[in-house]
Amino acid sequence: MSSSKNPPFRVREYRPSDFPQLCAIDRLCFSEAIAYTPEEIALGLAQPGAFAIVVEGQGAEEQGQVIAFVLAQAKRRGLGHIITIDVRGEFRRLGLGRKMMELVEERLRQRGVSRILLEVSTQNEHAIRFYQELGYVNRRHLPGYYPDGSDAYLMEKVFS
């Protein structure tokens, strides 16, 4: 029986020491053809207004390990961008993605963002539904968006 005092996960700010784990998780979550390279993740983190939130495991097996993260950016003119959201497969459907998205959206709102954009593979029906449930709508089809030539949707959420 688990104690309610010790939740199995802890959401926290990204630390530079997390970088190797972020790269590994992204390669687990996406095919080699579309996963970000370590250089691309580093570039994303280095952008003005960029930040990352991580979920750290608190259970015996994954104590202290990053099991999920979201990388986002507050840009100019009230625009935000979700660069990537990754949850290790064995920790999906536990509400971690939703929790991270809520925290990221709140932080972006605090930074003056009124619109958030993200890209999602047209083949990733689960992710598309997830974003739609969070209030994102398809705005545009992006043919050949990914390095492997596959398509994406540009999705948007507007805060009232």
Side-chain angles (χ1 to χ4, degrees), residues 66-128:
V66 175
I67 58 173
F69 75 96
V70 61
L71 174 56
Q73 180 184 17
K75 297 183 172 198
R76 290 193 273 259
R77 296 182 303 279
L79 183 63
H81 184 220
I82 304 297
I83 297 168
T84 191
I85 178 171
D86 298 15
V87 178
R88 278 181 26 193
E90 65 271 33
F91 297 102
R92 292 188 183 144
R93 302 193 193 283
L94 299 176
L96 300 176
R98 181 174 299 276
K99 178 69 173 167
M100 288 189 302
M101 288 294 287
E102 289 169 358
L103 291 168
V104 164
E105 288 177 3
E106 182 55 34
R107 175 149 333 151
L108 289 170
R109 264 196 292 260
Q110 290 170 356
R111 292 183 179 189
V113 165
S114 58
R115 295 172 50 223
I116 301 175
L117 299 176
L118 60 82
E119 300 81 21
V120 60
S121 169
T122 58
Q123 303 301 307
N124 193 341
E125 293 175 18
H126 175 71
I128 293 166

Side-chain angles (χ1 to χ4, degrees), residues 12 14 19 23 33 38 40 75 86-87 116 131 136 145 160:
R12 64 168 173 78
Y14 165 80
F19 183 76
C23 295
E40 289 167 329
K75 297 183 172 198
D86 298 15
V87 178
I116 301 175
Y131 294 128
Y136 289 80
Y145 176 80
S160 50

Side-chain angles (χ1 to χ4, degrees), residues 14 16 18-28 31-32 34-47 69 71 83-84 86:
Y14 165 80
D18 298 326
F19 183 76
Q21 292 181 82
L22 267 57
C23 295
I25 292 169
D26 197 66
R27 286 191 303 273
L28 287 172
S31 72
E32 189 178 325
I34 68 171
Y36 285 118
T37 65
E39 294 79 13
E40 289 167 329
I41 293 174
L43 183 62
L45 288 163
Q47 294 300 305
F69 75 96
L71 174 56
I83 297 168
T84 191
D86 298 15

